[in-house]
Amino acid sequence: MDAKNNFEETFRTTEEWDGNDHCDPPIINIVSPIEVTIPSEVYEGQIFHNKEDLQTAINGWSISQNVQYINSTSNKTRLTILCNQHNNVHRPYYWRLHASRSKKLCGLWKVSCAGPPHTCTQPVIPGGHHNCTSKFICRHIMPIIKQQLDMKSKEIIARMESKFEMKISYMKAWDARRKAIEAIFGSYEESYRSLQRFMEVLHMSQPGTVYNVDLVGGSRFKAIFWAFGPSINGWQHCRPVLSLDGTFLLGKYRGTLLAAVGIDANGGLFPLAFAIVESESNDSWVWFLRNLHDLVEVVKERQNLCIISDKHAGLVRGCREIFPQAVHRHCLRHLRENFKKFLRRQGIVDVEGLCNNMYLAGSTEDSASFTRMMEHIKNAKQEAYDWLIQRDVSKWSLLFDNGCRYSIMTTNASECFNGVLKRARGLPIQGLVMSIYYNLVSLFMRRSTEVDKWMMDAESEFVPRTMGILHRTEREARQCHEPIAINRGEFKVVDLASKTQKVDVLTPEKCACTCNKPQLHHFPCVHVVAVAGYRRWNHNAFVSQYFTLNSYKATYSGLFHVVPPKDVWPNFNNLTGIIHLLPPTFRRHVGRPRTTRFRNTMDEAQSSSNKRRGHCKRNGHNRATCPYNPASSRYYR
Ligand SMILES: [Zn+2]
Ligand SMILES: [Zn+2]
Ligand SMILES: [Zn+2]
């Protein structure tokens, strides 16, 4: 089977990425019309396009008849097959079939003789049908895989069962899926081999695109970092916030995808840069940040940059050293998971309750409720309180954040990775990059069409999400008591909850309220809107420019272009550094492959994967699973 790299055909059916519709698709049992057809009979004089079609037909027919055969002769021009019981003395007349490539028929394959009727049916074939190979299964699932790249092994098993009433093993199904993926995208090894040609053509066809391939020993793949030009341009119009996270990849060479993701004006995720590395280690995060700094200038030059991530040691160190002027904040959801583990270790009964208190403390703007939540935790368990204080409240709570994180509390990792990787988690590396490319193309298309519509309606200068909040705030502000001016820039406002707040307005950009909301959200609170109404100022001036339709439009104004076909890719050339690459040394574990569960960094005990091992000074494994040790058994060699 030749790899055609027909990405377009495969990705054409890409759905909306915002929905999580890729999760657990229903098991399909209908027979698709594009599927390879199984003949009801194989007879003398029958003609096939090629040998592969002939073999698939005989295969399918034998399986449906519950009879088995073996190949006697099989070469480029002839095929002879016999009943697998041809040695049985009780059956002197066994079934046989001859077919050959016919010159008269311009190379078509013709069955020259077949018979007598193949009747030695075995009701239950122990150990599965001999002729039901993974190659045969691959032929059958190929049309479905093209539409559904993440087709699961259990779905393949269900499909074969419904069609042939035959149970195949999990490994056979998995192998068939791998074969189908390789037929579409090329083999996993070939995908690494021509990776630099592929990245170079992306770099040339998508202006502004940057990439860096890290090698070991001159030509073995270690890691790749890249960012598409339109993403780089677009991110400048988003809030100066980047969240960083990683997720596991599947497929023959496992690896991990790292990503830096921004947030657009309307609160949508905006992927900026990616890397594929062996695993989330200190070194790989530092390498990622180094590339982000050196290759993506808009990040290096960005004022008030805020990086949100989990507390991975490599990230903490990398941010401090590589982006010293940026502030580093922690993802509240990751912290909650770590807090939960800590509480369990402490033997606390009400783990959920304390976690909720912690989450509320982290996401409130109100200092009184922050204090109340923290007191509650302190009364329940002093150690839990100390644990949170040690983690620096400015790093995890909105209240002490100084407005750096624009009220973005979590990294939204799973949403992002499901969006860009939808169905592509197990593809060869070029397929992975192309999947991200196509998902970004459709994201840009959809959102730039959307903003044109919003601008036509021209209800407001802000994106719908901001407009909604603003309308609510206006309604509430109208019900406030009239503000009292203390001096030209200082006001007293009593709100609906009968709370008194002090509003300070130096300039619209520098306004503060004792409710903390304007400083933290970059968005006017009820009290500021009330003051603006009282002084007849336009309260829109108090909203950050990052929430305008113009910013949103600029974010998605970059243009992606068609990726040229393989025959015009730059050639291998030692002078330009475009060389053949070897696949990485990291590989899938032997054993039942798992593709069903979404995993992210929270599932992994980080400490164990970062320990340096004495026997080979490499990360993430022990002596028995060492991929560099020929005696270890758990890795494919
Ligand atoms: Zn037979
Ligand atoms: Zn306020
Ligand atoms: Zn080792």
Side-chain angles (χ1 to χ4, degrees), residues 613 615-619 621-623 625-629:
R613 304 297 173 173
H615 65 280
C616 78
K617 304 281 184 286
R618 287 183 170 99
N619 291 337
H621 58 270
N622 59 33
R623 195 178 300 270
T625 61
C626 178
Y628 309 99
N629 172 10

